[in-house]
Amino acid sequence: MALKLITVLFVLPLLALNANAQQPVTYDVRKYGAKPGADISQALLDAWKEACNSTTPSKIFIPPGTWSLSQVKLLGTNKAPIELQIQGTLQASPDPSKLPNKEGEWITINYVNFLTISGGGVLDGQGQEAWKLNDCHKNKNCAKLPINLSLNFINNSIIQDVTTKDSKNFHVNCISSYNVTFLRFTVSAPGDSPNTDGIHVARSTNVRITDSIIKTGDDCVSMGDETKEVYIQNVTCGPGHGISIGSLGGYATEKDVTGIYVRNCTFIGTTNGVRVKTWPSAPATLTVSDLHFEDLIMDNASLPIVIDQEYCPHNLCNKERPSSIKISNVSIKNVRGTTSTAEAVWLVCSGLKPCENVEVGDIDLKYTGNQGPITTQCTNVKPKFVGKQNPPVCATTAKSA
Ligand SMILES: *[C@@H]1O[C@H](CO)[C@@H](O)[C@H](O)[C@H]1NC(C)=O
Ligand SMILES: *[C@@H]1O[C@H](CO)[C@@H](O)[C@H](O)[C@H]1NC(C)=O
Ligand SMILES: *[C@@H]1O[C@H](CO)[C@@H](O)[C@H](O)[C@H]1NC(C)=O
Ligand SMILES: *[C@@H]1O[C@H](CO)[C@@H](O)[C@H](O)[C@H]1NC(C)=O
Ligand SMILES: *[C@@H]1O[C@H](CO)[C@@H](O)[C@H](O)[C@H]1NC(C)=O
Ligand SMILES: *[C@@H]1O[C@H](CO)[C@@H](O)[C@H](O)[C@H]1NC(C)=O
Ligand SMILES: *[C@@H]1O[C@H](CO)[C@@H](O)[C@H](O)[C@H]1NC(C)=O
Ligand SMILES: CC(=O)N[C@H]1CO[C@H](CO)[C@@H](O)[C@@H]1O
């Protein structure tokens, strides 16, 4: 008996020590001077610097409540995993001119390996006032508005259970990153807010966007050049412009896009479902391949499926030469629901580089308007058909490739 007790007494502290080693060190922003109602940028930055220097896992804690944050740039590199746990609401100043560095983003996180952002909190960009200043659709020298959350050079990271609301510009940027997961991520902004893309991914590999809800004024998810292995699954988009690849081709240096998988997604009242857009007469010659759009539900989306190699919004480009971007290995399968535009499917490929190896299977779309029968438009593409198509895709307008 005595022996047993001694064993227990001896073993317990060892276990406790072991458990301690697993527990991250917590850096509570209040310990660094964060006070409700005051700008917490400096406190967050000070906590971040300590966390980055920690050789054991650390957690930066932002407690429940509303905290104002003017602007912050959190830079690695870090020595051990960092969790940024946001339980409260971080609020930007409604006035974009109050941003200390007007060229910068609102929250920037760069050069971090093993970052987790979690906590159920809200990033409130307070864009309502700033959107009125956005005239970029008609003014090339328009004022630049800050992106909500800009993640650059981030590896092996997870952003889960956070909401970004009313960003003044793109909600989230994920650039030059590797192995990043957005899980149960919520984006919320009105359908008429300009340029408020939900998540923009570029020059990144292995990005997952899962079980998320994205309501915004521009693209739900947009993907730029040099993007590889993106898995978008169980995402509900709308309002907004749907999921898009591109626009591509604007710069000669752009690199290939490959491996984009959009599965089990729902589009509610969006202007597009899935869309690939490339500029005509563009200098770039990259290839876009391995695009798989499957098990999609359209709920009154305007254009459920779009490949547009003559993309030219506001007619501000030269349509004389076709796009020199090659699109190949595309599958579009099991797309059903309703569309609010009669011309529901566009496969408009380049006359210079026709689309290759496009497979279309099981389409079932119903047009809810009264502008005639539902139709499709196909140029420079000869899809392989499997299963049923309603409407019959490319039945009337296909030109030979
Ligand atoms: C970083 O941590 C080391 C010990 O691990 C310490 O000596 C050093 O002062 C810390 N640097 C900063 C900037 O906190
Ligand atoms: C991220 O991964 C890339 C490629 O492996 C590497 O070059 C870079 O240094 C990593 N960045 C960080 C912050 O760990
Ligand atoms: C990706 O990142 C997650 C989260 O940090 C990590 O658990 C996983 O091992 C990483 N996967 C790869 C292939 O590096
Ligand atoms: C899809 O995502 C929604 C929203 O996050 C979630 O409630 C639902 O459980 C997910 N569905 C599956 C099959 O995981
Ligand atoms: C996709 O959705 C179907 C039904 O809508 C569901 O049965 C299936 O589990 C989902 N798959 C994934 C991977 O979410
Ligand atoms: C469908 O979308 C169109 C155009 O966006 C809109 O005018 C119409 O009211 C919507 N219908 C339903 C049933 O939501
Ligand atoms: C397209 O798929 C074919 C057959 O699976 C493969 O041989 C080819 O390399 C792929 N092309 C591209 C550009 O990925
Ligand atoms: C409006 C704004 O600040 N946009 C910037 C967001 O971040 C990306 C990448 O860091 C910049 O290219 C944008 O200009």
Side-chain angles (χ1 to χ4, degrees):
M1 187 66 199
L3 195 70
K4 254 190 190 160
L5 192 65
I6 285 166
T7 315
V8 167
L9 285 176
F10 198 76
V11 166
L12 263 181
L14 278 181
L15 282 175
L17 197 69
N18 203 28
N20 263 340
Q22 305 297 315
Q23 276 297 316
V25 189
T26 298
Y27 300 95
D28 185 326
V29 289
R30 288 173 298 191
K31 282 205 202 112
Y32 295 83
K35 291 196 178 61
D39 182 9
I40 71 161
S41 309
Q42 193 59 46
L44 179 55
L45 189 60
D46 291 344
W48 175 267
K49 280 185 182 156
E50 280 212 35
C52 265
N53 192 33
S54 170
T55 51
T56 57
S58 57
K59 179 162 92 185
I60 296 170
F61 180 58
I62 300 174
T66 298
W67 306 88
S68 23
L69 179 73
S70 57
Q71 187 175 38
V72 77
K73 194 165 189 175
L74 305 174
L75 306 179
T77 55
N78 52 322
K79 297 175 177 162
I82 298 185
E83 178 173 356
L84 177 58
Q85 196 179 76
I86 307 170
Q87 290 193 355
T89 294
L90 292 177
Q91 218 164 45
S93 162
D95 180 357
S97 71
K98 294 244 169 72
L99 210 63
N101 171 5
K102 292 184 189 47
E103 295 299 304
E105 325 298 347
W106 180 35
I107 303 174
T108 305
I109 306 183
N110 293 349
Y111 311 109
V112 186
N113 197 1
F114 292 103
L115 168 74
T116 301
I117 304 180
S118 66
V122 177
L123 308 177
D124 183 358
Q126 300 244 75
Q128 303 85 335
E129 289 303 311
W131 295 329
K132 295 180 199 151
L133 307 175
N134 185 318
D135 59 352
C136 297
H137 54 289
K138 46 186 192 213
N139 175 6
K140 276 202 164 175
N141 303 313
C142 56
K144 189 171 151 263
L145 293 167
I147 287 181
N148 213 325
L149 174 62
S150 185
L151 305 170
N152 309 282
F153 308 97
I154 298 290
N155 296 346
N156 306 311
S157 296
I158 304 176
I159 296 96
Q160 63 184 20
D161 303 306
V162 270
T163 296
T164 144
K165 181 169 169 271
D166 297 344
S167 176
K168 294 187 178 71
N169 195 310
F170 286 12
H171 281 270
V172 179
N173 229 354
C174 179
I175 313 287
S176 302
S177 295
Y178 169 76
N179 184 21
V180 178
T181 299
F182 292 86
L183 178 64
R184 296 183 300 273
F185 190 73
T186 307
V187 172
S188 144
D192 59 359
S193 54
N195 214 24
T196 52
D197 288 27
I199 301 178
H200 176 70
V201 180
R203 298 189 288 283
S204 295
T205 300
N206 198 358
V207 175
R208 269 154 269 105
I209 303 172
T210 310
D211 299 349
S212 296
I213 298 172
I214 300 179
K215 302 179 185 181
T216 195
D218 208 301
D219 290 340
C220 173
V221 176
S222 60
M223 287 163 273
D225 88 299
E226 211 180 338
T227 299
K228 300 191 166 87
E229 309 303 317
V230 176
Y231 303 87
I232 302 173
Q233 195 163 312
N234 186 28
V235 172
T236 300
C237 298
H241 296 176
I243 294 178
S244 60
I245 298 168
S247 40
L248 294 169
Y251 301 93
T253 51
E254 286 180 15
K255 298 203 174 79
D256 296 353
V257 171
T258 184
I260 311 292
Y261 301 83
V262 181
R263 288 193 187 118
N264 265 40
C265 292
T266 303
F267 299 82
I268 306 174
T270 51
T271 54
N272 302 280
V274 284
R275 179 165 62 148
V276 185
K277 38 186 182 174
T278 77
W279 300 97
S281 295
T285 55
L286 68 153
T287 69
V288 177
S289 60
D290 246 311
L291 312 180
H292 304 282
F293 308 128
E294 294 174 8
D295 305 325
L296 308 179
I297 297 174
M298 302 293 156
D299 179 354
N300 199 31
S302 299
L303 290 168
I305 302 163
V306 178
I307 291 179
D308 184 2
Q309 294 210 261
E310 293 173 3
Y311 180 70
C312 186
H314 316 298
N315 255 328
L316 290 173
C317 54
N318 177 357
K319 281 195 177 186
E320 271 164 32
R321 279 184 299 120
S323 166
S324 42
I325 292 176
K326 176 88 179 174
I327 299 178
S328 63
N329 294 7
V330 179
S331 67
I332 303 163
K333 288 180 185 166
N334 190 22
V335 180
R336 58 203 159 86
T338 55
T339 158
S340 63
T341 302
E343 205 171 61
V345 177
W346 285 23
L347 303 176
V348 176
C349 296
S350 165
L352 187 62
K353 300 202 174 166
C355 293
E356 244 174 40
N357 199 8
V358 175
E359 188 170 311
V360 178
D362 289 319
I363 306 293
D364 190 4
L365 292 167
K366 209 178 258 118
Y367 169 49
T368 53
N370 52 15
Q371 309 287 309
I374 183 167
T375 60
T376 70
Q377 188 190 159
C378 300
T379 317
N380 302 310
V381 60
K382 285 179 180 164
K384 174 183 168 202
F385 294 105
V386 292
K388 288 183 189 148
Q389 280 81 42
N390 173 32
V393 176
C394 305
T396 48
T397 58
K399 293 182 191 162
S400 63

